[in-house]
Amino acid sequence: MNPRTHPPGTKERGVDLYGTSETTVRDVMLRHPKTLPVDASIMQARAALDNDHVHLVLLTEGSRLAGTLARTDLPPPGTIGPALAWSTLMDRTVSPDTPTAVVYGLLISRGIRRMAVVTADGSLLGLMCLKQRRTGFCSDADVAARSRDHPNQGDVVPTVAGPKSRVRGIRRR
């Protein structure tokens, strides 16, 4: 398989997963990741993770990443309360300047497919999304195409927000 992805708005560009080029996270990250607000409930996080394509819920306050939740982080069914209490940032974030080969190795060694991309001050910039076959990284164009092909999946859809507004996910029915 060809380990390539095409960042939106650029010509075809190879992504070297094995470290022979200087491709960084910034070059290939999803720039419009799906998020939930920091005050989202466990039920909202569970609903987002019901979508097979969502592997990591990003809890945000404005532009700042406050926590992440994977399916394994969720408490037992029936538990109520804020999702943030069950979230973590440990081993789930990466700098935008990290080489893609390093992130690929981290994702494979940890057995995960998603890492949030954050600045030193905790601002969320994007999401690294390893493809299911582990042959490359997902792009915004891949995600948009899947949404067009399957418009009624019931997934959490991001809304666009500026740095001072709250980023929210909307449950589509």
Side-chain angles (χ1 to χ4, degrees):
M1 298 241 154
N2 187 356
R4 296 173 65 90
T5 189
H6 311 286
T10 64
K11 292 184 177 183
E12 183 172 314
R13 184 174 185 174
V15 175
D16 185 352
L17 299 178
Y18 307 103
T20 58
S21 74
E22 295 185 25
T23 305
T24 65
V25 165
R26 184 183 317 276
D27 298 323
V28 299
M29 69 183 181
L30 295 179
R31 289 170 174 16
H32 307 287
K34 298 170 184 177
T35 66
L36 288 176
V38 71
D39 59 354
S41 69
I42 294 166
M43 191 178 344
Q44 289 171 304
R46 192 178 300 280
L49 289 165
D50 280 346
N51 179 330
D52 291 339
H53 295 288
V54 177
H55 295 259
L56 190 66
V57 170
L58 305 174
L59 300 171
T60 59
E61 185 168 36
S63 64
R64 187 182 67 81
L65 181 65
T68 67
L69 277 160
R71 287 176 185 87
T72 55
D73 299 325
L74 292 172
T79 305
I80 58 172
L84 187 62
W86 297 88
S87 72
T88 187
L89 292 174
M90 185 159 311
D91 295 331
R92 302 244 177 104
T93 64
V94 65
S95 162
D97 299 319
T98 306
T100 55
V102 170
V103 175
Y104 180 78
L106 289 171
L107 292 168
I108 295 298
S109 68
R110 294 177 183 165
I112 59 175
R113 292 182 37 217
R114 307 292 191 268
M115 288 184 84
V117 181
V118 296
T119 61
D121 70 357
S123 294
L124 178 64
L125 295 181
L127 181 70
M128 285 302 288
C129 168
L130 186 61
K131 291 184 176 186
Q132 184 175 11
R133 294 182 186 211
R134 280 117 176 115
T135 57
F137 296 100
C138 306
S139 70
D140 285 316
D142 295 337
V143 173
R146 189 172 52 247
S147 292
R148 282 191 305 272
D149 292 344
H150 305 286
N152 296 318
Q153 283 185 328
D155 56 334
V156 175
V157 179
T159 58
V160 178
K164 293 186 178 182
S165 61
R166 175 172 254 149
V167 178
R168 292 196 179 268
I170 303 168
R171 180 91 175 142
R172 195 187 314 174
R173 294 198 187 251

